[in-house]
Amino acid sequence: MGEIVLYGKGKGRGKDKDDPSLRILRRTIDYGSDVVRWLQECLVPRTSAQYLQCHYGFTRELMPPFATPQGPYDSICPRFVHSSANKTRAPVNVVHWFPHGRRLLSGTQTGEMTIWNGMQFHFENILQAHNASIRAMQWTPEEHILVSGDQLGIIKFWDQYIYNFQTFQAHKESICDISIAPTGLKFVSCADDSHAKVWDLRTGEEERAFTGHGWDVKCCDWHPTKGLVATGSKDSQIKLWDPRASEAITTIYCHNNTVTKVKWSPNGQFLASGSKDQLIMLMDVRTMGVRKVFKGHTKDVTALCWHPESEAVLASGGHEATINFWDTFGASTPFESVPGAHEGPIWSLSWHPLGHLLVSGSNDYSVRFWSRARPGDTNFGDLLPRKVALGANEAPITIPDDLHVGTIFQSGIFADPPLPPLPPEARAAATEAARKEADSIYEMAGSTYEPMLGLSVGEGVNKKDVFDTSDFDAEEGLARPAPAPPAAA
């Protein structure tokens, strides 16, 4: 927890710098202390191993994730830190860190691109980047160009200062994913059509198209070290492509529904895929076979992200708003799970370049930051924002009449099924009883009961035109001549 102290003296009325009203407590995640601790260990190594105990006092002994590759469980980020949202409420489709890790980019359904501080998580800047929903964005390996795509099929190039210097129409349909080659000279894009395209990043010209899927291509990812592209489609197939050719190298049949995400591991040995069949497949590129099947989501798998420093940790987000962490060398069930991480489907996940923070973007309009657990943490659910439904603290509504009995959950569409119909004898008895009750009411009023015949405006001598206002005139004391009866034919 960090502390920010303001020293301003607005409009000539200054306050002392020690005034408690000027102090703002803000959660801060600073990786500097971890890196300094690692440098100390490198310069003056300890003679005996240091083990972390279950107490917050050992927080200062934490190392950055890249310093403990033998302990991948220390790299997961299930601890809620902060939730950020724009003033303009819109679902967050994609989140992506700046290469230096100091700021975060988020793209929304309204086409806005927001910059968030990566240490104190506050808003820094916002711009209307696209005229439609932002669907994908990624930095080049040289960290100088950002490529983004929107729902109209338009791709834009941005420099490191988020200045747009090139725009072109890449697809006719909505772009689904973008991935850049390790050389930074080419990139691949896919859209809601049956093919993916390879582009020259320097000229923005199309080089070739991958035409082999039978339905919309929903995801794509370029191998981190080789000329190999993986694509997943709505036809439940995963295809591997050579960027220099237009035909697929191989096709992998491992899912029973739409493939929503494909992601290569950091060194390119494994390929992870998520699908609407609620499964995550881990494939070994050396054997071209499925190595492991991860089961843990109860709805569609909508986001996948590998840890930047370890191939043993994979994070996934689902349509049921759950974040799961998987051990790729361990069991087929998640070794840590955060149910209810958001209040809507999770569309995107992104690890910090150092691996000590995880960011998620969701349909609930928020960007949430997650950090590693501190020594002494026992329950991550207690740190989540409280979800209070509308009217949760109010008593149930009761309506004391015969039509709505009890609460609203005991009447209308929530009521029990109707009783079986009465037999003809009981129905005739009930009708006769109702007739006698009506006769008694009219006798008390000094009139006789005459059933209305025909339409509601009456017939014969009781017939009235729809524009006849004699009843209202009588109430107001005005006399109007009655309409003449129709002439006999």
Side-chain angles (χ1 to χ4, degrees), residues 40 75 84 89 103 126 129 131-132 150 163 186 230-231 233 284 335 386 463 465-466:
Q40 290 177 349
S75 302
S84 303
R89 304 290 180 177
R103 294 176 183 85
I126 187 172
N131 295 327
D150 64 15
Y163 175 78
K186 304 181 188 302
T231 59
S233 171
D284 194 332
F335 64 86
R386 293 185 179 275
K463 184 175 181 180
D465 190 76
V466 292

Side-chain angles (χ1 to χ4, degrees), residues 379-429:
N379 187 2
F380 303 117
D382 296 341
L383 302 173
L384 291 174
R386 293 185 179 275
K387 301 182 187 124
V388 180
L390 183 62
N393 299 324
E394 300 176 0
I397 301 174
T398 58
I399 305 175
D401 61 356
D402 296 334
L403 181 61
H404 302 84
V405 181
T407 65
I408 58 174
F409 296 105
Q410 298 173 356
S411 59
I413 60 173
F414 304 102
D416 295 331
L419 297 175
L422 296 174
E425 298 80 4
R427 194 182 310 154

